[in-house]
Amino acid sequence: MHGWRVVWAGVCVAICSGIPAVYSSSIRAQGVSDEENAYRAPDDSWAPRRADACRGSNRKTLLQWSYGTGFGGGPNLEEPLATDRPDFTEASSTVGRGVAQLEFGYTYFHDSADGESTTVHSVGEPLLRYGFGFDWLEFRIAANYLREVRRSQDAGRLSDGGASDLYLGLKIGLTPQEGILPEMALIPQMLVPSGSEPFSELEEPLPGPARMPKARVLPGLNWLYGWDLTERLSLAGSTQFNLDVDPATHGRYTLFAQSITVGFSLTERLGGYVEWYTLMPSGADQIKPEYYFNGGPVYLVTDNLQLDVRAGIGLNEAAQDYFLGSGASVRF
């Protein structure tokens, strides 16, 4: 893939620097002045603009599957916004240069085991996405407020609340979809230890982005891919690796996450999704694999405003029993 990019860069240099010099030399050889030539420029309307071809200004993704000068895919402000919520799988496209998108919501988690019940309120869930520099580059920042309540026959009712760790990331739009080849994006990301102290000793992590603070910088990488199968049906997935901290030993381990989601449209404004995802630790002493199934409707109020509702269940004992949530996304 890198080879053809080197060739294309060489062609751009030749077009931008070599052709004007050759053309000017030819004119002088014919005894025609530069001033006269200003009125005798050749018809080059058939050719692509040299500035766009050399600078890649029309490029919506960093790479492309096929050789050529046309770059499809990527963000399209004439289409409805593409959001990272409400499913676990995030969008494989960026928001576009100079575009800001705010996504937020609320989720209620519940789990019961060994005579103890735990509920967690995830409030706010704000994710700010901003495209800068290029259409294929996006800055991401998120924070959250968590409220946990534990009930047991021995200890009674215990509750605590506070901020979760700060999430920072960059989404890079890699490729557009081309036939069976998917649209792809890559997110280098990390959690920064900025959360409230009460959550640093919780025994069980939350599924998805509502993770508890761990008092360490925890980097990760999220690979996203998706296909538009028909005008009303899409398929997407994500594969990610993140560092996490085992609450029992306080040692680091790798948390692998895999998801598959199917999106569908019922009307021009109403759609929905169904999804399966798993959280699988490697090298942890206490954390066990978790499996989830969830889904829900989404409604486009306008092309720049989306409302969503979601509900999910845990598929094994280590997972949360169920969760319910709702939210909205706005594009500016």
Side-chain angles (χ1 to χ4, degrees), residues 103-126:
E103 306 179 10
F104 53 93
Y106 164 82
T107 306
Y108 171 87
F109 298 90
H110 179 81
D111 187 45
S112 297
D114 301 326
E116 181 179 272
S117 66
T118 303
T119 60
V120 176
H121 304 270
S122 177
V123 182
E125 303 178 340

Side-chain angles (χ1 to χ4, degrees), residues 74-98:
N76 186 352
L77 299 184
E78 296 180 358
E79 296 291 332
L81 76 172
T83 67
D84 283 350
R85 59 170 304 119
D87 53 357
F88 182 85
T89 308
E90 297 174 338
S92 54
S93 61
T94 52
V95 294
R97 181 174 56 181

Side-chain angles (χ1 to χ4, degrees), residues 184-294:
M184 296 194 303
L186 197 65
I187 306 179
Q189 58 191 13
M190 64 179 173
L191 290 176
V192 179
S194 60
S196 300
E197 184 65 25
F199 288 108
S200 62
E201 301 298 329
L202 289 178
E203 296 181 356
E204 297 182 13
L206 293 176
R211 306 293 296 178
M212 298 300 185
K214 295 296 192 304
R216 301 183 189 181
V217 174
L218 301 173
L221 191 64
N222 192 357
W223 175 37
L224 306 164
Y225 34 90
W227 299 262
D228 286 331
L229 304 178
T230 68
E231 291 185 357
R232 293 184 177 271
L233 191 65
S234 64
L235 176 67
S238 69
T239 304
Q240 57 178 306
F241 300 87
N242 301 285
L243 283 184
D244 211 333
V245 176
D246 193 303
T249 63
H250 302 284
R252 294 192 181 190
Y253 68 93
T254 301
L255 183 65
F256 165 78
Q258 179 64 53
S259 67
I260 295 293
T261 184
V262 176
F264 53 88
S265 299
L266 300 176
T267 68
E268 290 185 358
R269 295 294 177 184
L270 180 63
Y273 79 98
V274 291
E275 178 185 52
W276 171 90
Y277 69 92
T278 179
L279 306 173
M280 301 189 66
S282 176
D285 293 327
Q286 181 175 338
I287 306 301
K288 305 300 181 183
E290 302 175 23
Y291 304 92
Y292 294 92
F293 179 82
N294 72 108

Side-chain angles (χ1 to χ4, degrees), residues 8 12 16 49-59 71 134 136:
W8 175 235
C12 284
C16 292
R49 294 176 57 192
R50 292 199 300 269
D52 287 347
C54 295
R55 298 173 189 168
S57 61
N58 61 337
R59 184 178 298 192
F71 292 84
F134 306 91
W136 47 264

